Amino acid sequence: MAEIFEGLPKVEYKGAQSKDALAFKYYDADKIVLGKTMSEQLKFAMAWWHNLSATGTDMFGPGTADKRFGAVAAGTMDHAHAKVEAGFEFMDKLGLEYFAFHDVDLVPEAEDISETNKRLDEIVDHIAEKQASSGKKLLWGTANMFSNPRYMNGAGSSNSAEVFCFAAAQVKKVLDITVKLGGKGYTFWGGREGYETLLNTNVGFEQENIAALMRMAVEYGRSIGFNGDFYIEPKPKEPMKHQYDFDAATAAGFLKKFGLDKDFRLNIEANHATLAGHTFQHDLRVAAVEGLFGSVDANQGDLLLGWDTDEFPFNVYETTFAMYEILKAGGFTNGGLNFDSKTRRPSYTYEDMFKSFILGMDSFALGLIKAAAIIEDGRIDAFVKDRYASYETTEYGRKIRNGSATLTELAAVAEGLGTPALPGSGRQEELQSIVNQVLFG
Ligand code: XUL
Ligand code: CO
């Protein structure tokens, strides 16, 4: 197969002083940071949908990017094969080790699901061949259960049991494919699992059905040897006005309510967290505290806009705080950093595809370096530990922590303490100055 990204080089690390726009300034794959190589810490993945399929179409106009990759027409099996070639060449040139996809990113969907599945088999054979020769790995697979008009009311949450069967069929097929390609994850992003109006919606019924679909996925997946993680990817809104997997806390409650938390973890997406009114690091922290940290969809939103803009990560404060949370959560096991990010519509060239990944990978590499430096510096951790010291240094504090305190005895302590002491300065500005010193010092 001829080279597709002709003239675009294998992107190399050239260091922070380099002015080469097609080189990494910070991402040095083999450099050790906190005991692992950068590539092991970051586990970057390419999202098939944005990188190989999306052309920049929006509701005001058609795509601006030509992503036929040498195929005569988009939306054909020839094009599907061309995307495989383009994807593997791209991953090779960018040094990306992982990829992620929805079923219908891989092939054009046919009228009949058995025909779609045949097409998937054909393309999956091609992907498996490319994996064997390149060593690239599948981070996770997912079924697109939101584009086809049948899913207008959701998939697991659909009012139609017939539609539910199609959802079951797609999940089953993607689990088969994921196992075949050695994937370590299967993601449920809600898609249209939510509602527009309560006037026509039985919320409890719909949530039970979503859980039933997930339970069947676990049973089937485990029965065919899928030993990776299932993920819920929370998102508060868009496309539905109200999505059931609103944020990490909501999704954690749902998983625990339905006993799915042994098999599921959370896939936290930066732009989804900010749409929920949280910071990216907040949702990462909640996932970790719930014991459900799994994977990350790396992007950033525009805080002035109320929708999912899926921009390549650029804000190094954000990537630093995100990597701080990820490192504190123990780093990635089955998960990784999947660039669920797209170039802006006017950035329509192949070169822009390369430069957008260079931006995203360098932003996270910097984030990793700086987060490791904050941890190694130790002042922030020491302050947080010290802030709660009274739960260790006093008997009543220890009793509160070990669950043996009573209100009566604590009330007596309070009376004995006389004038209440203030709880100590939060020192936010000092801590922010430390972060700036680590980032720019
Ligand atoms: C949508 C989104 C999806 C999921 C996979 O906002 O993030 O692309 O990551 O379905
Ligand atoms: Co996503």
Side-chain angles (χ1 to χ4, degrees):
M1 185 87 192
E3 194 178 355
I4 293 171
F5 300 103
E6 238 179 287
L8 288 160
K10 229 175 159 128
V11 177
E12 285 166 19
Y13 168 72
K14 294 199 176 161
Q17 303 313 315
S18 169
K19 298 244 165 73
D20 181 347
L22 288 167
F24 294 120
K25 319 298 181 302
Y26 303 100
Y27 181 58
D28 184 2
D30 297 325
K31 182 183 163 155
I32 306 285
V33 179
L34 293 183
K36 287 190 201 166
T37 64
M38 279 191 150
S39 69
E40 287 164 342
Q41 292 282 23
L42 295 163
K43 293 183 67 181
F44 289 130
M46 174 191 79
W48 214 267
W49 53 103
H50 285 314
N51 202 43
L52 303 174
S53 306
T55 56
T57 305
D58 67 16
M59 57 259 248
F60 301 100
T64 51
D66 182 350
K67 291 195 178 167
R68 284 173 299 166
F69 303 121
V72 178
T76 59
M77 279 306 281
D78 268 357
H79 183 221
H81 285 289
K83 287 201 293 186
V84 176
E85 294 296 330
F88 279 81
E89 185 185 321
F90 189 85
M91 286 188 275
D92 176 52
K93 287 189 165 169
L94 270 296
L96 293 156
E97 282 176 43
Y98 295 86
F99 58 100
F101 58 73
H102 304 80
D103 44 4
V104 304
D105 304 329
L106 299 182
V107 296
E109 203 176 356
E111 283 293 312
D112 178 340
I113 193 161
S114 36
E115 174 56 26
T116 306
N117 286 348
K118 270 194 223 137
R119 294 179 184 178
L120 283 169
D121 290 338
E122 178 183 323
I123 217 72
V124 164
D125 284 344
H126 187 178
I127 293 176
E129 265 170 45
K130 300 296 285 188
Q131 278 187 285
S133 58
S134 67
K136 304 293 173 201
K137 297 182 271 282
L138 173 59
L139 187 71
W140 50 258
T142 185
N144 176 326
M145 305 191 294
F146 44 89
S147 296
N148 191 302
R150 76 169 71 98
Y151 295 122
M152 64 174 74
N153 299 328
S157 68
S158 178
N159 57 301
S160 160
E162 192 173 308
V163 171
F164 192 109
C165 294
F166 278 94
Q170 279 186 252
V171 173
K172 177 175 180 288
K173 186 66 184 173
V174 176
L175 281 165
D176 289 335
I177 294 172
T178 301
V179 169
K180 177 152 190 207
L181 298 178
K184 290 280 181 241
Y186 181 93
T187 297
F188 282 90
W189 164 56
R192 295 181 197 271
E193 312 287 39
Y195 63 82
E196 291 295 323
T197 171
L198 285 175
L199 292 173
N200 65 15
T201 305
N202 185 338
V203 171
F205 183 93
E206 293 195 0
Q207 291 188 341
E208 282 162 20
N209 282 358
I210 295 169
L213 182 61
M214 290 179 174
R215 199 170 297 121
M216 287 182 238
V218 170
E219 273 163 22
Y220 181 74
R222 299 305 182 215
S223 80
I224 59 166
F226 175 66
N227 58 9
D229 291 323
F230 289 87
Y231 302 115
I232 283 186
E233 182 180 316
K235 185 176 183 182
K237 55 187 168 187
E238 198 209 16
M240 299 308 252
K241 173 184 154 85
H242 192 108
Q243 303 265 148
Y244 291 132
D245 304 327
F246 190 90
D247 60 1
T250 311
F254 174 90
L255 290 174
K256 289 179 186 187
K257 174 176 177 185
F258 291 104
L260 292 161
D261 51 313
K262 302 285 169 294
D263 296 280
F264 273 78
R265 303 219 161 316
L266 299 178
N267 181 37
I268 302 297
E269 177 162 329
N271 202 167
H272 295 182
T274 51
L275 285 175
H278 302 309
T279 58
F280 182 19
Q281 60 267 33
H282 168 89
D283 257 22
L284 290 167
R285 177 73 64 97
V286 170
V289 165
E290 296 287 349
L292 293 171
F293 169 70
S295 203
V296 167
D297 268 14
N299 58 26
Q300 76 174 47
D302 186 323
L303 297 183
L304 301 181
L305 302 176
W307 62 91
D308 202 6
T309 58
D310 286 341
E311 297 172 34
F312 275 88
F314 160 64
N315 182 330
V316 176
Y317 278 103
E318 290 297 313
T319 58
T320 300
F321 289 132
M323 286 314 301
Y324 181 80
E325 296 301 327
I326 292 166
L327 291 169
K328 290 279 181 180
F332 293 116
T333 45
N334 288 329
L337 282 166
N338 171 46
F339 284 107
D340 193 353
S341 314
K342 59 187 178 207
T343 52
R344 299 304 86 193
R345 193 165 179 267
S347 304
Y348 59 89
T349 68
Y350 284 170
E351 202 163 310
D352 290 310
M353 290 167 69
F354 275 53
K355 290 177 180 167
S356 63
F357 272 79
I358 292 170
L359 170 68
M361 293 163 80
D362 266 346
S363 296
F364 263 95
L366 249 177
L368 169 64
I369 294 166
K370 297 300 178 185
I374 291 173
I375 291 169
E376 277 165 348
D377 174 89
R379 279 176 288 172
I380 288 182
D381 279 345
F383 177 71
V384 174
K385 187 167 189 302
D386 187 55
R387 193 158 172 254
Y388 299 94
S390 56
Y391 289 90
E392 279 173 26
T393 56
T394 64
E395 203 199 336
Y396 50 86
R398 289 192 295 274
K399 286 178 100 176
I400 294 170
R401 292 299 295 157
N402 69 26
S404 65
T406 66
L407 286 186
T408 310
E409 99 188 70
L410 297 183
V413 171
E415 276 166 32
L417 286 172
T419 314
L422 292 175
S425 167
R427 293 205 222 158
Q428 180 171 332
E429 298 78 4
E430 178 189 332
L431 301 172
Q432 288 170 326
S433 294
I434 294 174
V435 171
N436 273 349
Q437 188 192 7
V438 171
L439 255 67
F440 304 106

